[in-house]
Amino acid sequence: MTTTDNSKQDVYADPSDTSQGKVFTVTGQDWDSITQGLDDSVEERVVVNMGPQHPSTHGVLRLILELDGETVTEARCGIGYLHTGIEKNMEYRNWVQGVTFCTRMDYLSPFFNEATYCLGVERLLDIEDAIPEKAQVMRVLLMELNRISSHLVAIATGGMEIGALTVMTIGFRERELVLDLFELITGLRMNHAFIRPGGVAQDLPPGALDEIRDFTALMKKRLPEYADLCNANPIFKARLEGVGHLDLAGCLALGLSGPPLRATGYAWDLRKSEPYSGYEDYDFDVMTWDTADAYGRFRVRLAEMHESLKIIEQAADRLAGLEGAPVMVDDKKVAWPSQLSIGSDGMGQSLDHIRHIMGESMEALIHHFKLVTEGFRVPAGQAYVPVESPRGELGAHLVSDGGTRPFRAHFRDPSFTNLQATSVMSEGGMIADVIVAIASIDPVMGGVDR
Amino acid sequence: MTPTEPSEERASDRGVEPELTDNPTGPTADKPPLDGVAGRAVGPNATTDLEKTKSEPERKLLDPSTDLVTGDQSIRRSAGTRTGMFGVSGTGDTSGYGGVVAPIIYPGDAQRPYGGWFDEVADALEARLTSTDLDGAIERVVVHRGEITFHVRRHDLPFVAQMLRDDADLRFEFCASVSGVNYPDDEGREMHVVYHLLSMTFNRRIRLEVTCPDADPHVPSLVSVYPTADWHERETWDMFGIQFDGHPSMTRILMPDDWPGHPQRKDYPLGGIPVEYKGGSIPPPDQRRSYS
């Protein structure tokens, strides 16, 4: 729709009168036709529906902005466009299958979804102390790789939205390297379902440690590029500094965690305060900034990637000494019976296992059948084991009734909670700063809507 | 998981084999006649169906031969029953254990001392509640798997939360999560709301649990104490139909505004997948053949 004449034919984009005033559908390059449609008596207050399909709203987020000129007087979020009923679905699948569902929630940090779920299941099963060391180290390794890839997307898309396209291209370039590692280790670039109750799905493939070491060496050269491009860039700073301000009291009241909280100068990180998966054994620092704005959140994310590299290196060193160690809990009543392996025709059950259940032991076959079809029972009770995801506190509230399926699984997703700060971060500012403020929260709608 | 009282009318109603039991008298000795109602009336537990479901676990607690009671002497509460050794309902169970009826039992009340900082929190909270005449606000305390749960009386929730947030010895500044749980068999307390609170000052986590009956699904809102509860309570309303009194805008958040029903309730079906082949459709998972 570029001219008034064209718009007359457009049934979808025609202005229409409603009880709330005249409604226009703006599709770009049509400002003239819109201004022609307004008479002089119209008030300056405009309500803009931004999204749910908008390139700079991080997925299907709908923003309802009330504008006075270019100043936002009221900002509200409309969410739910990506609601898939994952929590409901999990109630109909057994505990192991739940991993396959929850990994799809926050699709930029799948390993964290899996980890918090599995830690909760393990707590209910009371096998937290029985998880093999190698599984713990592999979880940490994958989570930290995932933190890097997630932060890279946050910085890349955040940069793209303010016009810093180079930041976007190099961000996705590096993220691709991480996804290659994921593919090598888990077989998939996303939706891995690799962390399972009791451990991880399979051992590291040969050569993975070398690839990881090459990656960390390369990232140490590449990460400073982001700092060179952005940290002191006057345009970048002008767009980010002082935007989306939210201080510590505001963060706690609104439940914000993760980089927005740490950008207020408060060094709160669940990896330090409530260590899980053996994080207490790694040497790393909690990164903070003291400006409580979008720029501070960017700097926190950038600095955290360096810390993640430190953890990855330590984890790789530990894994080098754990070759051949078990990656699944010893309890055969919980451990997934088959061990997958990569064959010439892709990933499948290991031939050793098939030989065992089909040719050697009837009991093993029965056991395999029971665990795969029915699953294990989890004692009745509830658990909540949060982890520090790239976006903040991610926790799974799991309720079991003693059956083979979750009675209730609820995920406290940091994107969902942090997005509540949209109003306080944007109201009173310019409309262009709304984009920056939301990008600094880094919401992932798959996690918000679940 | 084996009931010692074999007079479950469910088992006899279905006319299936007696359940496994280590009761030496054997299950058939005092088995009620097949018209379960009459048989039940003459038994020592002449109760209604609902009462029976509730009273079962208490009865079992007195019998040390069951494996329901662990050594910690904690009293447990029940919410419903599970039938069949493999949890199968309806067809598909050819194991012969389909008549086994076992109560679902959740961890019960904890006894003092709770251990560690749990006692400090409980003491500080009790002191505050006593000084403000809210003695009975904490209905009971459950300690399970290293997590402490305070069951709070419904209408006292905002006061308790305010104390937890503001007291210098408690300082639960951060409300991490609000979620609903639907226990259809927990008579009179079908809807539960669970709050996870975090004290960053002391690095402690506690859980609050509030219940309300399905007939009166109202819980006071915590938005005035924890503004972050805004969206969480809206989600709980959306998914469970629990109304949070005092919430500034109790509207749906994930489902469309005109959606009928509340999807996460246990009586809300999952729904099947329509397949465009001669009217066939894939049934929802709970109606497919299943082993669990």
Side-chain angles (χ1 to χ4, degrees), chain A residues 79 87-88 123-124 253-254 273-274 370 377 382 384 393 397 400-401 407-408 412 420 450, chain B residues 82 85-86 105-106 145 147 176 179-180 203 205 209 228 231 235 253 263-266 268 292:
Chain A
I79 64 171
E87 292 172 358
K88 178 85 173 173
R123 177 168 291 179
L124 281 174
L254 288 169
S273 64
E274 298 170 48
K370 285 281 289 172
R377 291 185 183 279
Q382 48 187 337
Y384 180 81
E393 176 175 328
H397 174 221
S400 173
D401 64 349
F407 188 73
R408 164 86 166 123
R412 187 266 189 213
Q420 291 188 86
R450 283 156 287 141
Chain B
R82 176 181 304 285
M85 186 171 236
F86 306 101
I105 295 193
Y106 286 93
R145 298 283 189 257
E147 297 181 12
S179 69
N203 195 15
R205 271 180 201 280
E209 198 161 334
T228 181
W231 281 19
E235 186 190 334
I253 186 165
Q264 286 270 16
R265 296 171 55 97
K266 289 288 178 187
Y268 191 99
S292 56

Side-chain angles (χ1 to χ4, degrees), chain A residues 149-327:
Chain A
S149 75
S150 176
H151 278 350
L152 282 171
V153 174
I155 290 171
T157 55
M160 178 190 70
E161 285 158 12
I162 58 169
L165 283 179
T166 313
V167 179
M168 193 267 285
T169 52
I170 65 171
F172 277 97
R173 179 188 69 187
E174 263 78 270
R175 175 173 180 260
E176 204 62 23
L177 301 174
V178 184
L179 295 189
D180 287 345
L181 285 179
F182 287 165
E183 191 174 359
L184 175 70
I185 296 169
T186 73
L188 294 163
R189 287 157 57 90
M190 63 190 296
N191 303 338
H192 314 276
F194 187 73
I195 299 176
R196 303 271 177 84
V200 296
Q202 61 188 101
D203 206 345
L204 276 182
L209 285 181
D210 295 333
E211 297 279 340
I212 292 164
R213 293 216 171 86
D214 291 347
F215 167 77
T216 51
L218 183 62
M219 280 303 278
K220 282 185 176 166
K221 293 198 197 79
R222 295 256 176 102
L223 276 185
E225 287 182 22
Y226 295 84
D228 293 344
L229 269 169
C230 302
N231 282 3
N233 182 330
I235 304 173
F236 194 79
K237 287 180 79 171
R239 286 300 307 275
L240 264 63
E241 272 184 335
V243 172
H245 189 274
L246 191 65
D247 61 6
L248 179 59
C251 281
L252 289 192
L254 288 169
L256 268 74
S257 47
L261 180 61
R262 287 193 284 276
T264 66
Y266 187 44
W268 179 262
D269 191 321
L270 295 176
R271 293 177 291 174
K272 288 283 189 196
S273 64
E274 298 170 48
Y276 48 89
S277 300
Y279 265 111
E280 63 272 26
D281 300 334
Y282 297 89
D283 173 35
F284 67 101
D285 295 315
V286 179
M287 291 293 128
T288 60
W289 202 255
D290 57 359
T291 55
D293 59 1
Y295 182 73
R297 288 164 209 146
F298 163 74
R299 291 297 294 263
V300 166
R301 291 200 176 94
L302 197 55
E304 276 182 5
M305 288 197 282
H306 288 280
E307 296 303 310
S308 291
L309 281 181
K310 272 164 65 177
I311 300 175
I312 290 167
E313 284 183 330
Q314 296 167 48
D317 289 345
R318 286 179 66 179
L319 284 172
L322 286 169
E323 204 159 322
V327 295

Side-chain angles (χ1 to χ4, degrees), chain B residues 264-287:
Chain B
Q264 286 270 16
R265 296 171 55 97
K266 289 288 178 187
D267 56 9
Y268 191 99
L270 189 58
I273 305 157
V275 180
E276 291 186 12
Y277 180 72
K278 297 185 177 178
S281 80
I282 298 173
D286 54 333
Q287 292 166 28

Side-chain angles (χ1 to χ4, degrees), chain B residues 223-246:
Chain B
V223 174
S224 57
V225 183
Y226 296 109
T228 181
D230 182 353
W231 281 19
H232 292 281
E233 288 181 356
R234 280 177 65 190
E235 186 190 334
T236 310
W237 150 251
D238 197 355
M239 292 295 147
F240 291 92
I242 301 170
Q243 293 179 34
F244 292 87
D245 300 329

Side-chain angles (χ1 to χ4, degrees), chain A residues 10 13 20 29 50 54 73 85 91 116 151 163 172 186 194 237 263 289 313 320-321 326 378 410 435 446:
Chain A
D10 193 339
Q20 301 298 308
Q29 316 219 336
M50 203 163 122
H54 193 279
T73 53
E91 294 172 11
T116 184
H151 278 350
F172 277 97
T186 73
F194 187 73
K237 287 180 79 171
W289 202 255
E313 284 183 330
V378 172
H410 173 75
I435 303 299

Side-chain angles (χ1 to χ4, degrees), chain B residues 158-206:
Chain B
F159 308 103
V160 173
Q162 181 97 35
M163 284 169 196
L164 285 167
R165 189 192 71 177
D166 294 343
D167 191 283
D169 296 327
L170 296 167
R171 288 267 185 268
F172 287 90
E173 316 94 343
F174 194 87
C175 177
S177 155
V178 180
S179 69
V181 189
N182 182 200
Y183 297 91
D185 294 327
D186 199 359
E187 194 69 21
R189 302 147 28 99
E190 288 90 354
M191 312 307 291
H192 291 225
V193 185
V194 183
Y195 303 83
H196 288 96
L197 304 185
L198 163 67
S199 164
M200 291 178 169
T201 309
F202 298 109
N203 195 15
R204 295 167 173 171
R205 271 180 201 280
I206 60 168

